[in-house]
Amino acid sequence: MENLVNWLNGYVWSPLLVYGFLGLGLVFSISTRFVQIRFIKDMIKLSFEGGDSKAGVTSFQALTMSLGSRVGTGNIAGVATAIALGGPGAVFWMWVTAFLGSATSFIEITLTQIYKRKIDGQYRGGTPYYIEKGLKLRKFAILSAVLTLIVMSCLWPGVQANTVALTMNSAFGIPPMVTGVGIILMLGFIIFGGVKRIAKTAEIMVPFMALGYIIVCIIVLSLNYSQIPNVISLIFTSAFNLNSTFGGLMGSAIAWGVQRGVYSSGAGLGSETFESGAAEVSHPAKQGLVQAFSVYIDTLLICSATAFMILITGMYNVAPEGMAPIVNKVGDAEPSVYTQLAVDSVFPQFGAGFLAVSLFFFCFTTLLSYYYKAETNLAFLTQSQKTKSRWPNHVLKVVLLITSFYGSVNTAAVVWAMGDLGMGAMAWVNLSVIFLLIKPALRVLKDYEMQKKAGKDPVFNPAELGIKDAEFWEEKYKETQGNKPVERKLYL
């Protein structure tokens, strides 16, 4: 199984995809005139705006649900894996990926909001929704929904559960099977409670766990502040083959920095579009800006804190694939526990337990978000059914619980390889689609800017921008603004 998955990954994760993330991120940045810089103030403000609704969630709840997905294994084990396989220079390329990915995230989330719908009383949106309405490709949209459904229910849950099982075993000696049973019991209780329960859980858990983790990171770095300049120098010199120890690793640093950076932030994969489709906002660009900001929180803040802790304490190995170890400081320890070792080196008897508990919460909220994403794709596939049945949702929940348990008791290499395969497949689909749909997103951004300059709270009227098949917004505009005459604005 592992050999087959690795063989497939060799094709899916070709250099074309790695550089595609960077190249398209640059295209989106230039096209939006670097929206990720110009609207930072709006990003922060909008994250806490918006009221609740019966059909959707607030911008903050959508943000925390998305961060619940983003902030997890990718921020801790993912960063460590990037360093282990690409050297310290991989951290720099994670930063580049995050900066460019913030513009990518704005485009895909804005498209999500433009083409979202109301299905069975709930807002739904995401990659298959904007493929169907934006590109008019129903069969391709179905393929995207099926692919995402498989990834979210079968391929990615095991990565999160495996990381929790490894750290719990390392910190407390709890057998992986016991951890697996505990995960599925708690997970089952919440996902059988519906989307609102998932949103409420994320709203409470994510800020608490992220704040606690950041505080510990700050303490560790403060106690080693004199080494921070050396670590920064190590990251930059390693990124460009200027470090004698890590010379020749620039290709690996780029590949693993981009791959793990994307896994952490989700920008460009389409994986973070689904929560944003549920957000209650008056204009699509608002949620686009909120999610663009979440990429910064995830990678530039949390991933950087993790990387600095690992590098500043020296708790890591560097062993690129197919090469002899270049650095071997922690023996045969899995990258999943590098962060744990880093904290434990500063706080003996505390680090292991703290990271194990933190990772449990990180990964648990990520598993909740995976169910929501899978359910949203299932809703897309079953929306045309005249007689609604609950059994597909129940089957989905059972499958997610089984794959979570499977990941808990399996080896890390197999689980991560399966996760990478799913991530790469989704990326090929979503990057192609958002590149083809860039014009509507840019029209919406320009409309948002014009209304802001006029001193208005932006509202969205798709007909005014010449955007078709945005039925949700057409109906909403009629309800809120009445049948006012439409003046088409000239855009792009």
Side-chain angles (χ1 to χ4, degrees), residues 13-15 17-19 21-22 81-82 85-86 89-90 93-94 97 249-263 321 423:
W13 278 99
S14 66
L17 180 58
V18 171
Y19 291 105
F21 275 109
L22 298 177
T81 302
L85 297 173
W93 293 105
M94 291 184 78
T97 302
L249 288 187
M250 185 172 177
S252 295
I254 294 174
W256 286 105
V258 171
Q259 189 169 340
R260 288 294 170 252
V262 169
Y263 181 77
E321 291 179 317
M423 175 170 60

Side-chain angles (χ1 to χ4, degrees), residues 111-112 115 117 124-149 269-271 273-274 373-374 376-381 383 426 429-430 433 437:
L111 289 170
T112 295
Y115 296 108
R117 294 175 219 170
R124 299 286 190 179
T127 303
Y129 295 84
Y130 54 71
I131 290 176
E132 182 182 38
K133 291 297 183 180
L135 293 180
K136 310 295 190 296
L137 296 174
R138 171 67 179 170
K139 290 183 179 179
F140 189 39
I142 291 173
L143 176 63
S144 171
V146 171
L147 173 62
T148 307
L149 184 60
L269 299 179
S271 59
T273 60
F274 304 103
K373 299 173 202 290
T376 300
N377 283 274
L378 184 61
F380 176 85
L381 294 170
Q383 62 183 314
M426 288 180 61
V429 172
N430 190 64
V433 170
L437 287 173

Side-chain angles (χ1 to χ4, degrees), residues 221-241:
L221 296 180
S222 298
L223 294 174
N224 295 274
Y225 71 93
S226 62
Q227 294 299 315
I228 291 178
N230 294 333
V231 169
I232 294 174
S233 174
L234 177 65
I235 289 172
F236 278 90
T237 56
S238 300
F240 297 101
N241 282 349

Side-chain angles (χ1 to χ4, degrees), residues 32-109:
T32 59
R33 293 178 294 129
F34 291 90
V35 65
Q36 66 268 51
I37 297 175
R38 294 191 298 121
F39 286 97
I40 288 180
K41 183 178 179 180
D42 283 39
M43 292 178 186
I44 298 171
K45 181 182 177 182
L46 290 169
S47 295
F48 301 96
E49 280 190 357
D52 203 355
S53 74
K54 293 181 180 179
V57 297
T58 66
S59 286
F60 183 69
Q61 285 178 326
L63 173 68
T64 55
M65 286 172 70
S66 183
L67 280 173
S69 169
R70 285 181 163 120
V71 180
T73 298
N75 299 86
I76 299 177
V79 172
T81 302
I83 293 172
L85 297 173
V91 178
F92 171 81
W93 293 105
M94 291 184 78
W95 292 339
V96 173
T97 302
F99 176 72
L100 298 177
S102 183
T104 302
S105 184
F106 172 81
I107 296 293
E108 64 184 355
I109 300 306

Side-chain angles (χ1 to χ4, degrees), residues 41-354:
K41 183 178 179 180
D42 283 39
M43 292 178 186
I44 298 171
K45 181 182 177 182
L46 290 169
S47 295
F48 301 96
E49 280 190 357
D52 203 355
S53 74
K54 293 181 180 179
V57 297
T58 66
S59 286
F60 183 69
Q61 285 178 326
L63 173 68
T64 55
M65 286 172 70
S66 183
L67 280 173
S69 169
R70 285 181 163 120
V71 180
T73 298
N75 299 86
I76 299 177
V79 172
T81 302
I83 293 172
L85 297 173
V91 178
F92 171 81
W93 293 105
M94 291 184 78
W95 292 339
V96 173
T97 302
F99 176 72
L100 298 177
S102 183
T104 302
S105 184
F106 172 81
I107 296 293
E108 64 184 355
I109 300 306
T110 299
L111 289 170
T112 295
Q113 275 287 331
I114 291 172
Y115 296 108
K116 75 178 182 180
R117 294 175 219 170
K118 193 172 184 179
I119 301 175
D120 296 333
Q122 294 184 340
Y123 296 153
R124 299 286 190 179
T127 303
Y129 295 84
Y130 54 71
I131 290 176
E132 182 182 38
K133 291 297 183 180
L135 293 180
K136 310 295 190 296
L137 296 174
R138 171 67 179 170
K139 290 183 179 179
F140 189 39
I142 291 173
L143 176 63
S144 171
V146 171
L147 173 62
T148 307
L149 184 60
I150 292 171
V151 171
M152 296 302 166
S153 62
C154 299
L155 300 182
W156 278 10
V159 177
Q160 307 297 327
N162 181 266
T163 302
V164 173
L166 283 175
T167 54
M168 284 293 183
N169 182 256
S170 174
F172 306 116
I174 300 174
M177 184 171 291
V178 175
T179 300
V181 171
I183 288 174
I184 64 174
L185 288 176
M186 291 183 64
L187 186 62
F189 171 74
I190 295 176
I191 64 176
F192 277 93
V195 174
K196 288 287 186 179
R197 185 178 291 179
I198 293 172
K200 286 295 183 183
T201 302
E203 185 180 31
I204 296 169
M205 275 184 149
V206 172
F208 171 76
M209 70 185 188
L211 180 62
Y213 183 71
I214 290 296
I215 288 173
V216 170
C217 290
I218 290 173
I219 294 173
V220 171
L221 296 180
S222 298
L223 294 174
N224 295 274
Y225 71 93
S226 62
Q227 294 299 315
I228 291 178
N230 294 333
V231 169
I232 294 174
S233 174
L234 177 65
I235 289 172
F236 278 90
T237 56
S238 300
F240 297 101
N241 282 349
L242 301 177
N243 186 287
S244 58
T245 303
F246 303 107
L249 288 187
M250 185 172 177
S252 295
I254 294 174
W256 286 105
V258 171
Q259 189 169 340
R260 288 294 170 252
V262 169
Y263 181 77
S264 176
S265 71
L269 299 179
S271 59
E272 305 311 314
T273 60
F274 304 103
E275 296 92 343
S276 294
E280 183 78 66
V281 291
S282 66
H283 196 283
K286 288 185 175 183
Q287 195 61 28
L289 292 171
V290 169
Q291 292 303 95
F293 180 59
S294 76
V295 176
Y296 285 164
I297 297 174
D298 173 85
T299 305
L300 298 185
L301 180 61
I302 300 178
C303 284
S304 296
T306 299
F308 271 71
M309 281 201 303
I310 291 172
L311 295 173
I312 210 166
T313 58
M315 293 292 110
Y316 65 96
N317 296 334
V318 177
E321 291 179 317
M323 296 175 60
I326 296 174
V327 173
N328 190 349
K329 298 182 178 182
V330 291
D332 59 354
E334 290 278 354
S336 301
V337 299
Y338 288 0
T339 312
Q340 195 177 70
L341 295 173
V343 178
D344 214 37
S345 69
V346 176
F347 299 108
Q349 310 304 317
F350 170 77
F354 172 77

